[in-house]
Amino acid sequence: MKIKLTKNLAIALLSAIFLLSACGDEKGSHTTSSVSEPAKTFQWKMVTSWPKNFPGLGMAPEKFAKNVDVMSNGRLKIKVYGAGELVPGFEVFDTVSQGTAEMGHSGPYYWKGKIPSAPIFGAIPFGMTTEELNSWLHYGGGLELWREMYKPFGIIPMAGGNSGAQFTGWFKKEINSIEDLKGLKMRIPGLAGNVLAKAGAVPVTIAGGDIFSALQSGAIDASEWVGPYNDLAFGFHQAAEYYYSTIWHEPGTGLEFLINEKAFNELPQDLQKIVEIAAKAVNADTLDEYNARHHVALKTLVEKHGVKMRTLPAPVLAELKKYTAQVIAEQVAADKGFAKVWKSYSEFMAGMRSYNDLTLKEYYQNR
Ligand code: CA
């Protein structure tokens, strides 16, 4: 008993010395917590554009919330909602802007009607690859521009994962010439939809969870989604015969965390840093997972389900590239924000392209 008391006393004394020295070091500038005041806790809601716990896309916000909970010692708890649980998938932006939910997880190109430049932060046809996009966002001025574009809506965006390059998608009939796109009803988001419209197709925007039934019922003739890992999970091979692997419309799709600015500013500095670091960790983790799963899922689609693989003919791709240049020129002329972001993006891409043409392009052919 005597020994125990002595030990407890020693611990108490050591703690007191530590606290005193800590206060002395920081000159009283640190005010977030003290022994007598329990740390404030925060309960947030995060709405998403994906089915609850959907592989990759839907697990990114779940992992984020779990990591934040552990890193903050339970001081910031975030409840994640799948699309339609609290609000529909395409209402994520407004919900976070209004503060009904403190956070969201989605894809920037879904907001092109609100913010014309938004798709540039997600995916642009014939644009940057995943690695190039991440480098532009974090070391090329992209993130600063992204925050500038979302600021009028009271939202702070952060990179929230990347699916890697996405497949052209699923078609009920083969595409052998640009004529085959005429009248084709295809689910496709972002500026790629504007590009397809120029080719005479009818771009349709529907949430991921509704694609399968639309494809199966014939309401649409074709659909893109993500790539083998996610496409297999939705079972698209049961609704369309041909799978086009060509990369053009989403060469490296960036996802996003949306954070209500007011809610973020109410967090103490350490929790703000935890949110930022957890977002960056999930951004990297999601890509690692997609890279690991896509090729395995593709093998399953081909070998187990007998999916017919196709690529777009070169003349079709050349036409799509021509239309993409037209769409971007129109956007630059129509919106100052788009023009500003595009200048930064396109200059960065030009530098990356010369470098990667010299290095990785040759390596991919040689290895
Ligand atoms: Ca997609």
Side-chain angles (χ1 to χ4, degrees):
M1 189 67 182
K2 199 177 177 186
I3 294 166
K4 204 175 175 187
L5 275 173
T6 310
K7 194 180 164 195
N8 284 344
L9 187 64
I11 289 168
L13 277 169
L14 278 171
S15 303
I17 290 163
F18 174 76
L19 280 173
L20 279 170
S21 64
C23 285
D25 283 348
E26 303 200 1
K27 298 187 171 55
S29 63
H30 198 260
T31 57
T32 50
S33 66
S34 72
V35 173
S36 56
E37 244 177 78
K40 195 177 171 190
T41 59
F42 298 83
Q43 311 273 341
W44 278 14
K45 291 189 276 291
M46 172 150 50
V47 288
T48 73
S49 299
W50 332 115
K52 180 78 176 165
N53 291 331
F54 190 72
L57 300 172
M59 288 313 291
E62 301 287 347
K63 286 178 184 173
F64 172 88
K66 203 174 168 192
N67 286 342
V68 167
D69 186 14
V70 173
M71 286 194 280
S72 71
N73 200 20
R75 287 161 58 217
L76 176 52
K77 292 207 173 283
I78 303 170
K79 189 167 165 48
V80 179
Y81 294 87
E85 285 191 322
L86 202 61
V87 293
F90 291 145
E91 285 177 23
V92 167
F93 190 94
D94 288 344
T95 306
V96 176
S97 179
Q98 289 152 10
T100 313
E102 291 81 2
M103 274 194 84
H105 190 256
S106 192
Y109 46 47
Y110 292 139
W111 325 124
K112 70 173 179 177
K114 227 180 279 292
I115 306 170
S117 62
I120 305 176
F121 305 105
I124 286 285
F126 300 98
M128 284 201 260
T129 64
T130 298
E131 288 78 8
E132 292 167 351
L133 178 70
N134 275 326
S135 296
W136 173 66
L137 287 176
H138 297 124
Y139 287 92
L143 186 61
E144 289 77 10
L145 286 166
W146 198 0
R147 292 191 172 166
E148 184 185 325
M149 295 300 136
Y150 281 24
K151 192 160 178 61
F153 301 88
I155 291 178
I156 299 171
M158 291 179 193
N162 197 298
S163 65
Q166 299 199 0
F167 280 32
T168 296
W170 299 86
F171 291 75
K172 293 193 160 198
K173 60 166 196 172
E174 286 185 88
I175 304 299
N176 296 315
S177 75
I178 197 80
E179 297 296 315
D180 291 331
L181 292 174
K182 285 207 163 63
L184 186 96
K185 269 187 266 173
M186 180 168 184
R187 184 270 180 194
I188 189 165
L191 294 183
N194 304 39
V195 173
L196 276 193
K198 283 190 182 290
V202 183
V204 179
T205 306
I206 49 176
D210 300 324
I211 297 173
F212 183 83
S213 57
L215 203 52
Q216 202 176 37
S217 71
I220 54 174
D221 309 307
S223 181
E224 72 80 58
W225 173 228
V226 175
Y229 180 40
N230 280 162
D231 294 6
L232 174 64
F234 266 154
F236 293 147
H237 55 279
Q238 297 165 55
E241 200 174 348
Y242 302 101
Y243 196 21
Y244 279 78
S245 60
T246 304
I247 308 298
W248 72 275
H249 77 303
E250 296 190 40
T253 307
L255 310 171
E256 64 183 358
F257 283 113
L258 304 160
I259 306 171
N260 179 276
E261 193 179 11
K262 192 167 164 281
F264 188 75
N265 290 340
E266 281 167 6
L267 294 179
Q269 213 177 7
D270 63 332
L271 291 186
Q272 288 182 345
K273 186 51 83 178
I274 285 172
V275 166
E276 281 177 27
I277 299 296
K280 217 162 179 185
V282 160
N283 191 49
D285 178 82
T286 308
L287 178 63
D288 292 348
E289 190 189 5
Y290 273 113
N291 281 337
R293 309 265 191 250
H294 274 322
H295 68 96
V296 179
L298 183 61
K299 205 163 178 266
T300 304
L301 283 168
V302 174
E303 292 179 8
K304 192 175 166 197
H305 300 296
V307 165
K308 292 175 183 162
M309 298 303 301
R310 295 289 184 273
T311 54
L312 288 177
V316 172
L317 265 182
E319 286 289 299
L320 294 173
K321 201 171 171 182
K322 187 183 82 187
Y323 292 138
T324 297
Q326 290 173 10
V327 166
I328 286 170
E330 286 164 11
Q331 298 284 322
V332 165
D335 185 75
K336 273 185 191 160
F338 190 100
K340 186 176 180 179
V341 180
W342 180 251
K343 184 174 186 298
S344 169
Y345 181 97
S346 56
E347 284 173 7
F348 193 88
M349 182 166 69
M352 291 297 312
R353 183 157 51 197
S354 325
Y355 187 79
N356 284 337
D357 280 354
L358 186 72
T359 54
L360 284 176
K361 194 175 173 184
E362 191 195 18
Y363 175 68
Y364 281 145
Q365 284 162 351
N366 291 343
R367 71 172 172 180

